[in-house]
Amino acid sequence: MSRSLKATVLISGSGSNLKALISARESGRLNIEINHVISNVANAGGLEHAEKAGIRSTVLEHGTFGRREDFDRALALLIAAGKPDLVVLAGFMRIIGPQILEPFQGRMINLHPSLLPLYRGTDTYRRALEAGDHQHGASIHFVTEELDGGPVISQVVIPVEPGDSPDSLASRLSPMEHRLLVATVELFTTHKVECRKGSVFVDGAETAAPLKLQTNGKLSA
Ligand code: GRF
């Protein structure tokens, strides 16, 4: 078996996506080592998942830093100390400044609850419902300086049902996000995935469109 992919996971909340990664690693599906979990929220539920799994975790509260750049510098140093192959933003609710991004360009991915390029930013479920969309979903993209604007690696699509509320849509999407994240991190463990000139390349070939999560839990074009 090849060396496991060393991943650092950044969270702000319940960490259900972190839990999905931990479970996939424990079941043997994902050849990863989660070396560090970092939360910018002291009581984030996800910290318990890290503790139970014996994963080192650190709380770095943005509110305790006077200036954004100081938080960004501290976060960049904290991530870099673990020398991760991949940095996964799994519900990390802070904008990634250039100081954090620069050392990890092409090695930092973000899970976003919309079919990008639709609905960057927050409140995506309500915005999709208000637009009358028939489909919603989640995307995983390389992080760039543009908020939720980096090249999209993968997506999962779900139908909008009659009577859906933002909450019902979010609860139906959540388990699909978990599957999307596991499949996408798996892609990094089994293939060379690169961000080049604003496009996604897998094993040297440019993907024409985001890979889609299939019912078998795998990604394909
Ligand atoms: C996910 O829905 C993700 O799309 C959004 O934040 C949520 C994180 O959930 N950005 P969790 O903390 O992994 O449970």
Side-chain angles (χ1 to χ4, degrees):
M1 202 182 204
S2 56
R3 181 180 82 83
S4 58
L5 184 89
K6 197 195 282 189
T8 292
V9 183
L10 273 56
I11 61 166
S12 302
S14 68
S16 63
N17 285 283
L18 166 66
K19 189 163 177 252
L21 291 177
I22 293 171
S23 302
R25 183 196 58 152
E26 284 172 353
S27 72
R29 169 160 178 198
L30 274 188
N31 185 19
I32 58 168
E33 174 207 348
I34 303 174
N35 72 323
H36 198 182
V37 169
I38 302 172
S39 172
N40 67 315
V41 176
N43 60 357
L47 291 165
E48 278 179 34
H49 299 311
E51 195 187 336
K52 275 193 198 132
I55 299 168
R56 171 184 175 226
S57 64
T58 305
V59 172
L60 194 70
E61 282 182 289
H62 56 275
T64 61
F65 290 83
R67 297 180 313 160
R68 167 181 288 278
E69 304 86 72
D70 296 336
F71 171 76
D72 287 2
R73 187 176 307 111
L75 180 56
L77 287 171
L78 194 56
I79 301 170
K83 297 191 170 49
D85 302 307
L86 185 68
V87 181
V88 180
L89 310 186
F92 184 66
M93 303 304 283
R94 295 292 297 172
I95 290 173
I96 296 294
Q99 289 194 86
I100 310 172
L101 179 61
E102 202 273 324
F104 305 106
Q105 213 138 27
R107 292 188 291 136
M108 184 179 275
I109 59 173
N110 179 48
L111 168 67
H112 181 74
S114 82
L115 294 172
L116 290 170
L118 293 175
Y119 315 125
R120 296 175 183 183
T122 57
D123 227 358
T124 60
Y125 310 99
R126 182 188 56 75
R127 289 157 70 199
L129 290 173
E130 281 178 6
D133 293 353
H134 296 293
Q135 293 187 322
H136 192 58
S139 307
I140 295 179
H141 64 92
F142 280 109
V143 177
T144 62
E145 279 164 24
E146 213 179 327
L147 178 69
D148 301 325
V152 179
I153 304 163
S154 58
Q155 291 184 323
V156 61
V157 181
I158 64 165
V160 173
E161 306 284 2
D164 254 336
S165 65
D167 282 350
S168 66
L169 200 49
S171 348
R172 275 212 322 286
L173 184 60
S174 175
M176 303 311 288
E177 285 185 330
H178 302 159
R179 300 181 75 190
L180 180 69
L181 184 60
V182 169
T184 306
V185 172
E186 185 178 39
L187 194 70
F188 278 84
T189 67
T190 51
H191 297 273
K192 190 170 174 143
V193 188
E194 294 168 293
C195 176
R196 268 197 246 156
K197 295 184 192 149
S199 297
V200 176
F201 285 73
V202 178
D203 291 332
E206 185 174 355
T207 57
L211 301 172
K212 291 285 184 309
L213 185 72
Q214 309 298 318
T215 45
N216 65 3
K218 300 279 179 191
L219 293 169
S220 62

